[in-house]
Amino acid sequence: MAFCQNCGQQLPENANACPGCGTFVNAQAAPQQNQQNSQQNYQQNQQAYQQPQPGFQQNQPGYQQPLNPTVMPDQDVQSNRGIAWLSYVGLLFLIPMFARKQSPYCQHHVKQGATLCAVSLTYEITKAIFLAIINLLFPGETYFFFYTTYRTHSTVYNIFNWLFIAGSIFLAVLAIIGIVNAATGKKNELPLIGKIPWIAKLLDNFYAKP
Protein backbone atom coordinates (compact mmCIF):
# COMPACT_ATOMS: atom_id res chain seq x y z
CA MET A 1 0.00 0.00 0.00
CA ALA A 2 1.44 3.35 -1.09
CA PHE A 3 0.56 6.93 -0.20
CA CYS A 4 1.13 10.16 -2.07
CA GLN A 5 4.06 12.07 -0.63
CA ASN A 6 2.49 15.38 -1.64
CA CYS A 7 -1.04 15.13 -0.17
CA GLY A 8 -0.91 11.83 1.76
CA GLN A 9 -3.81 10.23 -0.09
CA GLN A 10 -3.76 6.48 -0.55
CA LEU A 11 -2.66 5.50 -4.03
CA PRO A 12 -4.38 2.76 -6.02
CA GLU A 13 -2.27 -0.25 -6.97
CA ASN A 14 -0.09 0.38 -10.07
CA ALA A 15 -1.16 4.03 -10.14
CA ASN A 16 1.11 6.41 -12.01
CA ALA A 17 -0.33 9.57 -10.47
CA CYS A 18 -2.18 10.62 -7.32
CA PRO A 19 -5.98 10.90 -7.94
CA GLY A 20 -6.19 13.73 -5.42
CA CYS A 21 -3.40 16.17 -6.36
CA GLY A 22 -2.19 14.67 -9.63
CA THR A 23 1.44 14.23 -8.53
CA PHE A 24 3.21 11.56 -10.57
CA VAL A 25 4.35 8.54 -8.58
CA ASN A 26 7.44 7.82 -10.83
CA ALA A 27 8.63 11.42 -10.43
CA GLN A 28 8.92 10.88 -6.68
CA ALA A 29 11.09 7.77 -7.04
CA ALA A 30 13.21 9.15 -9.89
CA PRO A 31 15.70 11.22 -7.78
CA GLN A 32 16.43 8.26 -5.51
CA GLN A 33 16.79 5.91 -8.48
CA ASN A 34 19.09 8.35 -10.28
CA GLN A 35 21.24 8.73 -7.18
CA GLN A 36 21.54 4.95 -6.80
CA ASN A 37 22.41 4.58 -10.49
CA SER A 38 25.07 7.28 -10.21
CA GLN A 39 26.67 5.56 -7.23
CA GLN A 40 26.68 2.20 -9.02
CA ASN A 41 28.24 3.72 -12.17
CA TYR A 42 30.93 5.46 -10.09
CA GLN A 43 31.87 2.21 -8.34
CA GLN A 44 32.00 0.31 -11.64
CA ASN A 45 34.25 2.98 -13.19
CA GLN A 46 36.64 2.79 -10.24
CA GLN A 47 36.89 -0.98 -10.52
CA ALA A 48 37.48 -0.79 -14.27
CA TYR A 49 40.21 1.83 -13.77
CA GLN A 50 42.06 -0.23 -11.16
CA GLN A 51 42.03 -3.45 -13.17
CA PRO A 52 44.60 -3.66 -16.01
CA GLN A 53 43.22 -3.73 -19.48
CA PRO A 54 43.32 -7.10 -21.28
CA GLY A 55 46.41 -7.60 -23.38
CA PHE A 56 48.40 -4.87 -21.59
CA GLN A 57 51.49 -5.70 -19.59
CA GLN A 58 53.45 -3.17 -17.68
CA ASN A 59 56.64 -5.15 -18.13
CA GLN A 60 56.40 -6.52 -21.63
CA PRO A 61 59.08 -9.11 -22.54
CA GLY A 62 61.96 -7.57 -24.39
CA TYR A 63 61.04 -4.06 -23.35
CA GLN A 64 63.67 -1.94 -21.69
CA GLN A 65 63.33 1.51 -20.30
CA PRO A 66 65.35 4.07 -22.27
CA LEU A 67 68.67 5.02 -20.81
CA ASN A 68 69.03 8.38 -19.18
CA PRO A 69 70.50 10.62 -21.91
CA THR A 70 72.18 12.81 -19.28
CA VAL A 71 75.41 11.02 -18.35
CA MET A 72 77.68 12.70 -15.85
CA PRO A 73 81.28 12.81 -17.12
CA ASP A 74 84.10 11.24 -15.14
CA GLN A 75 85.29 13.99 -12.84
CA ASP A 76 88.83 12.64 -12.74
CA VAL A 77 89.11 12.70 -16.54
CA GLN A 78 87.56 16.14 -16.91
CA SER A 79 89.74 17.64 -14.19
CA ASN A 80 93.09 16.19 -15.29
CA ARG A 81 93.09 15.73 -19.04
CA GLY A 82 94.41 19.28 -19.43
CA ILE A 83 97.66 18.22 -17.76
CA ALA A 84 97.78 14.50 -18.58
CA TRP A 85 98.85 15.12 -22.18
CA LEU A 86 102.21 16.44 -20.91
CA SER A 87 103.06 12.82 -20.14
CA TYR A 88 103.97 12.33 -23.80
CA VAL A 89 106.29 15.32 -24.17
CA GLY A 90 109.64 13.89 -23.14
CA LEU A 91 110.60 14.41 -19.50
CA LEU A 92 107.55 16.60 -18.95
CA PHE A 93 105.77 13.47 -17.76
CA LEU A 94 107.28 14.38 -14.38
CA ILE A 95 104.80 17.29 -14.09
CA PRO A 96 101.58 15.21 -13.97
CA MET A 97 103.50 12.49 -12.16
CA PHE A 98 104.02 14.71 -9.11
CA ALA A 99 101.25 17.29 -9.57
CA ARG A 100 98.44 14.72 -9.99
CA LYS A 101 99.81 11.80 -8.04
CA GLN A 102 96.36 10.74 -6.76
CA SER A 103 94.66 10.81 -10.16
CA PRO A 104 94.15 7.33 -11.73
CA TYR A 105 93.74 9.01 -15.11
CA CYS A 106 97.10 10.78 -14.86
CA GLN A 107 98.72 7.64 -13.49
CA HIS A 108 97.72 5.73 -16.61
CA HIS A 109 99.10 8.32 -19.00
CA VAL A 110 102.24 8.93 -16.94
CA LYS A 111 103.03 5.23 -17.20
CA GLN A 112 102.47 5.29 -20.95
CA GLY A 113 104.44 8.52 -21.42
CA ALA A 114 107.32 7.38 -19.21
CA THR A 115 107.51 4.14 -21.19
CA LEU A 116 107.61 6.12 -24.43
CA CYS A 117 110.31 8.40 -23.04
CA ALA A 118 112.44 5.43 -21.93
CA VAL A 119 112.02 3.70 -25.29
CA SER A 120 112.87 6.90 -27.19
CA LEU A 121 115.98 7.54 -25.07
CA THR A 122 117.17 3.96 -25.52
CA TYR A 123 116.47 4.21 -29.22
CA GLU A 124 118.49 7.39 -29.69
CA ILE A 125 121.46 6.00 -27.75
CA THR A 126 121.36 2.78 -29.78
CA LYS A 127 121.08 4.79 -32.97
CA ALA A 128 124.14 6.93 -32.17
CA ILE A 129 126.30 3.94 -31.21
CA PHE A 130 125.22 1.86 -34.19
CA LEU A 131 125.78 4.62 -36.73
CA ALA A 132 129.18 5.37 -35.25
CA ILE A 133 130.19 1.74 -35.71
CA ILE A 134 128.83 1.71 -39.28
CA ASN A 135 130.78 4.86 -40.02
CA LEU A 136 133.98 3.20 -38.81
CA LEU A 137 133.40 0.02 -40.77
CA PHE A 138 132.24 1.78 -43.92
CA PRO A 139 133.94 5.15 -44.05
CA GLY A 140 132.84 7.61 -46.65
CA GLU A 141 134.89 9.72 -49.02
CA THR A 142 136.69 12.95 -48.29
CA TYR A 143 136.78 15.95 -50.64
CA PHE A 144 138.92 19.08 -50.55
CA PHE A 145 137.59 22.30 -51.94
CA PHE A 146 139.24 25.69 -51.41
CA TYR A 147 141.22 24.49 -48.44
CA THR A 148 138.03 23.03 -46.89
CA THR A 149 137.53 19.34 -46.17
CA TYR A 150 134.15 17.77 -46.99
CA ARG A 151 133.27 14.25 -45.97
CA THR A 152 130.39 12.15 -47.23
CA HIS A 153 128.96 9.05 -45.63
CA SER A 154 128.96 5.68 -47.28
CA THR A 155 125.90 4.13 -48.89
CA VAL A 156 125.58 1.60 -46.08
CA TYR A 157 125.62 4.37 -43.50
CA ASN A 158 122.94 6.31 -45.38
CA ILE A 159 120.67 3.26 -45.61
CA PHE A 160 120.80 2.61 -41.87
CA ASN A 161 120.46 6.30 -41.14
CA TRP A 162 117.20 6.47 -43.12
CA LEU A 163 115.92 3.40 -41.29
CA PHE A 164 116.63 5.06 -37.97
CA ILE A 165 114.91 8.22 -39.17
CA ALA A 166 111.82 6.16 -39.95
CA GLY A 167 111.96 4.75 -36.43
CA SER A 168 112.20 8.26 -34.98
CA ILE A 169 109.13 9.28 -36.99
CA PHE A 170 107.26 6.27 -35.64
CA LEU A 171 108.05 7.28 -32.05
CA ALA A 172 106.92 10.83 -32.81
CA VAL A 173 103.61 9.44 -34.12
CA LEU A 174 103.21 7.45 -30.89
CA ALA A 175 103.70 10.66 -28.92
CA ILE A 176 101.01 12.39 -30.96
CA ILE A 177 98.62 9.47 -30.41
CA GLY A 178 99.25 9.65 -26.67
CA ILE A 179 98.67 13.40 -26.57
CA VAL A 180 95.37 13.04 -28.44
CA ASN A 181 94.24 10.21 -26.16
CA ALA A 182 95.06 12.15 -23.00
CA ALA A 183 93.51 15.40 -24.22
CA THR A 184 90.27 13.74 -25.33
CA GLY A 185 89.69 11.68 -22.18
CA LYS A 186 90.75 8.26 -23.49
CA LYS A 187 92.75 5.71 -21.52
CA ASN A 188 94.13 3.73 -24.46
CA GLU A 189 97.52 2.06 -24.50
CA LEU A 190 100.13 3.05 -27.06
CA PRO A 191 100.62 0.66 -29.97
CA LEU A 192 103.47 -1.88 -29.63
CA ILE A 193 105.13 -0.32 -26.59
CA GLY A 194 102.09 0.29 -24.40
CA LYS A 195 102.29 -3.12 -22.74
CA ILE A 196 106.00 -2.94 -21.77
CA PRO A 197 105.79 -3.58 -18.02
CA TRP A 198 109.09 -2.37 -16.55
CA ILE A 199 108.45 1.35 -16.28
CA ALA A 200 104.84 0.76 -15.18
CA LYS A 201 106.00 -1.50 -12.33
CA LEU A 202 108.49 1.10 -11.14
CA LEU A 203 105.80 3.76 -11.17
CA ASP A 204 103.43 1.45 -9.28
CA ASN A 205 105.95 1.42 -6.44
CA PHE A 206 106.12 5.21 -6.60
CA TYR A 207 102.35 5.62 -6.47
CA ALA A 208 102.04 3.09 -3.66
CA LYS A 209 104.01 5.35 -1.35
CA PRO A 210 101.89 7.74 0.74
Side-chain angles (χ1 to χ4, degrees):
M1 182 178 295
F3 296 92
C4 178
Q5 295 183 0
N6 185 32
C7 63
Q9 184 177 350
Q10 183 179 354
L11 299 176
E13 186 177 358
N14 297 329
N16 293 328
C18 177
C21 63
T23 302
F24 289 98
V25 177
N26 292 335
Q28 297 174 4
Q32 298 179 357
Q33 185 68 26
N34 291 336
Q35 184 176 4
Q36 293 177 358
N37 293 336
S38 298
Q39 292 178 353
Q40 291 179 358
N41 292 334
Y42 177 74
Q43 293 176 355
Q44 291 177 358
N45 291 335
Q46 278 190 335
Q47 293 177 358
Y49 176 76
Q50 294 176 357
Q51 294 178 356
Q53 298 179 359
F56 175 79
Q57 295 180 355
Q58 293 181 352
N59 295 324
Q60 297 180 359
Y63 173 79
Q64 296 181 353
Q65 294 182 353
L67 297 176
N68 187 0
T70 304
V71 180
M72 296 300 294
D74 188 345
Q75 188 64 30
D76 180 32
V77 174
Q78 297 299 324
S79 300
N80 297 299
R81 65 180 183 175
I83 191 175
W85 66 270
L86 293 175
S87 302
Y88 300 95
V89 187
L91 293 176
L92 293 183
F93 74 87
L94 295 173
I95 296 177
M97 176 179 173
F98 288 98
R100 298 292 188 272
K101 184 178 179 180
Q102 304 301 326
S103 169
Y105 184 71
C106 283
Q107 291 179 13
H108 169 79
H109 287 290
V110 166
K111 293 176 183 179
Q112 293 290 301
T115 300
L116 176 62
C117 183
V119 170
S120 299
L121 182 60
T122 303
Y123 179 82
E124 292 299 328
I125 294 174
T126 304
K127 171 185 174 182
I129 295 174
F130 188 85
L131 289 180
I133 295 174
I134 292 296
N135 195 32
L136 291 176
L137 296 178
F138 302 95
E141 298 180 358
T142 304
Y143 297 94
F144 296 95
F145 185 75
F146 287 106
Y147 304 101
T148 303
T149 302
Y150 296 94
R151 184 178 179 181
T152 60
H153 295 290
S154 64
T155 303
V156 176
Y157 179 94
N158 290 331
I159 292 175
F160 281 100
N161 187 41
W162 281 109
L163 292 176
F164 279 112
I165 291 175
S168 299
I169 295 174
F170 174 73
L171 293 175
V173 172
L174 291 183
I176 295 174
I177 293 174
I179 291 173
V180 173
N181 288 338
T184 56
K186 299 178 182 178
K187 295 178 67 174
N188 299 336
E189 294 181 344
L190 294 176
L192 297 182
I193 70 170
K195 295 183 180 297
I196 297 177
W198 306 296
I199 303 298
K201 290 182 179 180
L202 292 175
L203 290 174
D204 286 336
N205 296 331
F206 168 78
Y207 287 120
K209 297 179 181 179

